[in-house]
Amino acid sequence: MTDPTPARVRFAPSPTGRFHIGGARTALYDFLLARQTSGQFILRIEDTDRKRFVPGAEEEIMESLHWLGLEWDEGPDVGGPFGPYRQSERTQIYQQHAELLVERGYAYPCFCSPERLSQVRKQLLKVKQPPRYDRLCRRLAPEEAQARVQAGESHVIRFKTPRDGSTTAVDLLRGPITVQNASLDDYILLKSNGLPVYHLAAIVDDYLMKITHVLRGSEWLPTFPLHVLIYQAMGWDQPIWVHLSVFLNPSGKGKMSKRHAGVKAIYVLDLKQMGYLPEGLLNWISLMGWSFDDHTEFFSIQELIEFYSLQKLNPSPAAVDYKKLDHFNGHHIRDLPTEDLVHRMRPFYETAGLVVDDAQLSQIAPLVQERIRTLEEAVEISGFFFRDTVEPDPAQLIGKNMTPAESAKAIRRAYQVIEALPTMDVEPLETALRFLADEIGLKAGQLFGILRVAVTGQRVSPPLIESMAVIGKVEVLARIERAIALLETQAEVE
RNA sequence: GCCCCCAUCGUCUAGGGGACCAGGACGUAGGCCUUUCAAGCCUAAGACCGGGGUUCGAAUCCCCGUGGGGGCACCA
């Protein structure tokens, strides 16, 4: 819509931990741009750091993305014309490019030990200088350096950052960002183990994979100029750069973290388990840093694809608001066709140890649909349908402004009325019970209140009459009978 | 310490010089509806960080403060 040229965008997570909503938002924005322009959404795994590698992390990323419906066109598992898509399988490519930079005089081998490096940093910090490399090896004659490399001496490859002048990097949301080159370090490009660092790997891959738009977190802003310098050294055209703002804790203080999320989860798979819908989660996430207009808030995936626009991105940090997630999720639950809701609720009942079948669930779904915000809540509010017995709190069985004896008497009459009914059809049942209430001088609410607790075991429940119809006459009568007993026991105590 | 980014209701945001006594949403409060709870509908309270400019006119542009965030690893 905004850009007719097919975009090639990549989501490039590191398998270093669990997959959270920040990553999900970046992936969503990538996906939307690709779909909107009929381009490609690429999944690339940035696993160049062996030390931080977490087994299973890559699988969680993929599982989360699948669940969210953010399917990629190229990736480690599905392949593609620019593979491999796992950086650990592309080591040679990075080494070749690092060598190229050295040959051209844009990079140099550095033989300094990690110990010396931290020594230098400590020293600089002491005199209140930025902790950087002192560029000792940059002064080495190329021939000498080359010889030492040939001799097998351990070394890294560093970028030869210009000493003076400035570099301007252009971010789509922020415009040109200019920094003095003197404030930049001679960053390491290739580690001594031969593996690349992000700065090299990401740039090389983005170029080789013909990425048109780079969407990434704003934590890359400080090294953004370095990335531009590498592009310039390589003689490559830059992609469009978009730095997304970070998510803040609900308090608005500090970057979103597990510790501060409280009872709510920040991991996609946890949210799934809590009963959130992909639709609800995506809708919520999409609006954290992006907007469509001044009043439209509910979007389906299709609508997001249609309406998404990089121009409407907001560069300021956003605090996560779980209340809003509940709101969006509730809306999307209400939006679901009943059969779809049944299908999605089912696993939650099973997890709770309840035996359900789709026919029952189909009757219950409409009763709970407009009063739940998560699928998990469906179990809380309607578990009584599937339990053999309910355990009402005797105190709650007492009708409003009534005594236990009066309450018992009232539902004893209700028992008789229901028993005499040929069916449990909603309309005649409601008519009969309302008539009864009138006859014995009660408000419908009083009678219904007692019956509600008797039948559902809860003070709050789905609509009573409909619920009784689903439960069935035999079971309803059994539950009322038990409630009568409980009430009479109380009456005797008095 | 240095570098970079950001700044509208509690929160997410609309706003890109006059259409703004600043709009929407979540949340909050009250009401309607109602067999409970929701949902739905209505109403209310609630913000342009401060100071200088520029301009006939600034939430919108510039500068300085302040505040918040991010970064300164052979991590990404």
Side-chain angles (χ1 to χ4, degrees), chain A residues 218-239:
Chain A
S218 62
E219 65 267 23
W220 294 112
L221 245 19
T223 44
F224 185 16
L226 165 71
H227 303 147
V228 169
L229 284 169
I230 296 175
Y231 266 93
Q232 290 171 352
M234 289 292 189
W236 295 338
D237 286 336
Q238 293 176 54

Side-chain angles (χ1 to χ4, degrees), chain A residues 98-337:
Chain A
E99 275 165 37
L100 194 67
L101 286 172
V102 173
E103 280 167 29
R104 293 186 185 169
Y106 287 112
Y108 62 94
C110 168
F111 306 92
C112 295
S113 67
E115 292 71 37
R116 191 183 107 76
L117 261 24
S118 64
Q119 197 78 279
V120 170
R121 271 194 294 270
K122 227 164 46 187
Q123 214 62 251
L124 285 166
L125 235 27
K126 205 175 286 178
V127 287
K128 309 232 183 269
Q129 292 287 305
R132 289 202 294 256
Y133 178 51
D134 62 2
R135 296 175 172 169
L136 180 68
C137 293
R138 183 167 172 160
R139 294 192 279 274
L140 256 33
E143 302 74 35
E144 187 195 337
Q146 197 54 34
R148 288 171 70 174
V149 169
Q150 295 293 324
E153 191 171 339
S154 178
H155 67 283
V156 301
I157 301 295
R158 284 184 183 274
F159 189 70
K160 198 182 283 183
T161 302
R163 288 177 175 279
D164 35 45
S166 62
T167 299
T168 297
V170 181
D171 174 76
L172 186 71
L173 311 181
R174 290 159 252 258
I177 297 166
T178 301
V179 299
Q180 295 303 311
N181 292 332
S183 73
L184 265 22
D185 204 348
D186 276 6
Y187 299 93
I188 289 172
L189 262 23
L190 205 67
K191 299 181 259 189
S192 59
N193 63 5
L195 295 180
V197 133
Y198 172 89
H199 307 305
L200 210 223
I203 269 76
V204 167
D205 284 348
D206 287 343
Y207 172 74
L208 259 24
M209 295 179 181
K210 300 193 187 305
I211 300 304
T212 59
H213 300 70
V214 172
L215 274 64
R216 37 138 67 158
S218 62
E219 65 267 23
W220 294 112
L221 245 19
T223 44
F224 185 16
L226 165 71
H227 303 147
V228 169
L229 284 169
I230 296 175
Y231 266 93
Q232 290 171 352
M234 289 292 189
W236 295 338
D237 286 336
Q238 293 176 54
I240 291 169
W241 302 96
V242 186
H243 292 88
L244 270 15
S245 63
V246 295
F247 281 172
L248 266 26
N249 283 306
S251 63
K253 302 276 183 202
K255 199 174 166 181
M256 178 186 71
S257 66
K258 187 185 182 183
R259 194 159 61 86
H260 291 102
V263 291
K264 296 284 189 172
I266 63 173
Y267 302 115
V268 172
L269 257 24
D270 286 355
L271 261 358
K272 173 192 177 190
Q273 202 178 356
M274 291 163 78
Y276 290 97
L277 263 35
E279 293 92 328
L281 191 53
L282 254 17
N283 196 158
W284 176 56
I285 276 173
S286 73
L287 259 7
M288 299 181 66
W290 175 81
S291 63
F292 175 60
D293 59 16
D294 64 348
H295 65 282
T296 314
E297 302 238 277
F298 290 109
F299 300 98
S300 64
I301 305 299
Q302 277 313 313
E303 288 167 332
L304 285 174
I305 291 172
E306 188 180 344
F307 300 143
Y308 184 72
S309 159
L310 292 174
Q311 275 66 36
K312 301 285 281 182
L313 249 20
N314 186 331
S316 53
V320 295
D321 181 358
Y322 288 105
K323 289 269 182 54
K324 204 143 187 170
L325 168 60
D326 285 344
H327 175 253
F328 279 118
N329 206 60
H331 178 91
H332 281 96
I333 283 177
R334 273 170 256 132
D335 240 25
L336 251 29

